[in-house]
Amino acid sequence: MKHEYSAEHRKYLGKRKRNLTLVWILRLGLLALILGVWEMIAALGWVDPFLTSSPSRIGKTIASLYLDGSLFYHIGVTLLETMIGFVIAVVGGCVIALALWWSETLRRVLEPYIVVLNALPKIALGPLIIIWFGTGSEAIVFMTVLVGIIVATLHMLSAFLATDNNKILLLRSMGASKFQILRKLVIPSSLASFISMLKVNVGMAWIGSIMGEYIVSRAGLGYLIVYGGQVFKLDLVMASTCILCVLAAGMYFLVVLLEKLIVKDAES
Amino acid sequence: MKNEILRFEDVTFTYHTRRGETTAADGLTFSVREGEFVAIIGPSGCGKTTLLSLAAGLLSPSSGTVTRSGSCGYMLQKDELFHWRNIEKNIFLPLEIKRQNTAERRRQALELAKKYGLGEFLQSFPPQLSGGMRQRAALIRTLATEPDILLLDEPFSALDYQTRLNVCEDVSSIIRSEKKTALLITHDISEAISLADRVLVLSPRPTKVSHEHELDFGEETRPIKRREMPQFSTWFELLWRELNA
């Protein structure tokens, strides 16, 4: 089809493409500017690099972590805790939301409990978690699940309940059972909400795992940040934070990729 | 006299909400015979949709009886096609629900779709179709399970005027040539006159049948042609007065 476009349309496409290129140049330029200024003011002694660190010191810290073999160990620990917590929170949230959609009585009974659990700052449960789960990864995974599961439940429940009543009426007129309504209508029409819930929960999972590592941990990026803060190694704090940024962004883009796959599949 | 497919006998229906109860229908009696196209018109808010839900068996009357011999197909104001299914899969939906999803039934449904001009759109998704085409697909979906009676709940009211006349023409010719029994509920007097063999007029709530007319268009079943005939305006005037009485 491409060769059939008119000159005007090609011009329009060209303009869009140039615009996209410009946005990318500016994005990367902004990053380079921030890093450059940061490095410069640290190098010129305008700020104390002991307090602000600097890109080159962060690079050196990451390199030394890599050389003593602990870089991928800490990344692996946090990533595993985050992923396991994320998956349990998402699956658990969907299952609970399904149960709540199914039974209005159950929904009404549990509503006040869910509201309270949602409002409760989960970090308040820190001491309990340590006593119940010890100081290993189990405690951190539990914290991650706790932070994510309520959000996942509420998000999916509101999606299920927003199902078009006329479409439900249509299925009921065909004699559909509740299970058929669920399978043929409620679940497929909630797909877009499922993806947006995943995006929200990527953030929630990182909050949960890092918060968990702050409370109790012997390894992981959250541990490095806390440890670095305690011994005033701000290079370590900054380096771990940068790695976290990269990991969180990577996980988010995986969800975006999944979205593209699913949406394409549903419409091709 | 042909068999009665649907019969309402002294039907009363009361809605219950937290704020109180509303009697939607009181002493509603009428019947639809095999092969007939019956239109029901009523003032807005007289419980037209309740009546169709009763006919479909989705609601049970508070008193009186609703008897239906055979299956029904329900068609709503909007097409309600599922946007994540292509047209073909949408048409198969009632077959899946009713567990009649056999190769034979699918073939028959596809034949119907092709016969009425949906052949080239079977693999398309609903948003790619015009409003008229979508409503046609909705009708074919309703016909896929070969229901004994079609329940039409203002199936044209969500369309713009031009499309509305065309789809009305379409639906009429499909229903007539498939020799289906149909019960249409509408607030649009001219639509009722242009489509039906018989028109029932409902009173305001609590509703019952206040007037009943056998229309005299002879063999003419095409809505557009009917609109040009002299008795059309006579019927319109009469029904208008009865509706506003």
Side-chain angles (χ1 to χ4, degrees), chain B residues 169 176 194-197 217-226 229:
Chain B
E169 202 73 17
R176 296 286 183 180
S194 64
L195 282 165
D197 302 319
F217 289 98
E219 293 297 300
E220 186 55 74
T221 55
R222 286 167 298 175
I224 288 287
K225 290 284 176 233
R226 279 192 179 189
M229 289 165 79

Side-chain angles (χ1 to χ4, degrees), chain A residues 12-30:
Chain A
Y12 164 80
L13 288 180
K15 197 175 159 191
R16 278 198 61 139
K17 199 173 170 193
R18 274 197 303 281
N19 203 304
L20 187 69
T21 317
L22 181 70
V23 167
W24 268 106
I25 289 172
L26 289 177
R27 275 178 186 164
L28 295 174
L30 185 63

Side-chain angles (χ1 to χ4, degrees), chain B residues 176-192:
Chain B
R176 296 286 183 180
S177 65
E178 296 298 318
K179 298 190 170 42
K180 288 289 171 193
T181 311
L183 177 63
L184 166 78
I185 298 241
T186 180
H187 62 267
D188 188 321
I189 302 173
S190 52
E191 221 156 72

Side-chain angles (χ1 to χ4, degrees), chain B residues 64-169:
Chain B
T65 51
V66 175
T67 33
R68 198 184 72 221
S69 54
S71 57
C72 73
Y74 205 131
M75 195 169 161
L76 296 130
Q77 279 182 32
K78 294 196 190 138
D79 53 73
E80 306 299 353
L81 295 169
F82 291 5
H83 65 80
W84 55 90
R85 285 170 169 248
N86 62 21
I87 297 301
E88 181 181 87
K89 294 260 169 61
N90 265 293
I91 290 173
F92 293 159
L93 179 70
L95 298 178
E96 292 171 25
I97 299 292
K98 295 190 173 177
R99 306 194 189 288
Q100 301 173 347
N101 199 6
T102 60
E104 175 63 14
R105 297 306 290 262
R106 281 201 302 272
R107 193 186 55 75
Q108 285 171 354
L110 286 182
E111 228 162 66
L112 209 57
K114 284 176 190 149
K115 185 171 165 190
Y116 295 112
L118 284 169
E120 53 180 313
F121 300 112
L122 286 174
Q123 303 307 317
S124 308
F125 283 81
Q128 299 166 316
L129 267 61
S130 67
M133 268 302 167
R134 293 173 59 144
Q135 202 55 308
R136 196 189 290 198
L139 177 63
I140 302 299
R141 177 186 59 193
T142 315
L143 292 172
T145 51
E146 304 192 335
D148 296 301
I149 183 169
L150 290 169
L151 305 173
L152 311 172
D153 186 357
E154 305 199 17
F156 316 115
S157 61
L159 303 167
D160 64 78
Y161 192 67
Q162 174 100 39
T163 314
R164 191 173 174 151
L165 290 179
N166 286 329
V167 174
C168 185
E169 202 73 17

Side-chain angles (χ1 to χ4, degrees), chain A residues 164 166-167 169-177 180 184-185 188-189 265-268, chain B residues 53 56 58 72 74 76 79-85 93-94 96-99 125 141:
Chain A
D164 188 345
N166 283 326
K167 290 196 168 63
L169 177 71
L170 178 80
L171 285 184
R172 285 184 54 218
S173 81
M174 296 173 188
S177 65
Q180 282 179 318
K184 303 282 182 193
L185 173 62
S189 66
D265 195 47
E267 275 170 18
S268 65
Chain B
S53 294
L58 298 175
C72 73
Y74 205 131
L76 296 130
D79 53 73
E80 306 299 353
L81 295 169
F82 291 5
H83 65 80
W84 55 90
R85 285 170 169 248
L93 179 70
E96 292 171 25
I97 299 292
K98 295 190 173 177
R99 306 194 189 288
F125 283 81
R141 177 186 59 193

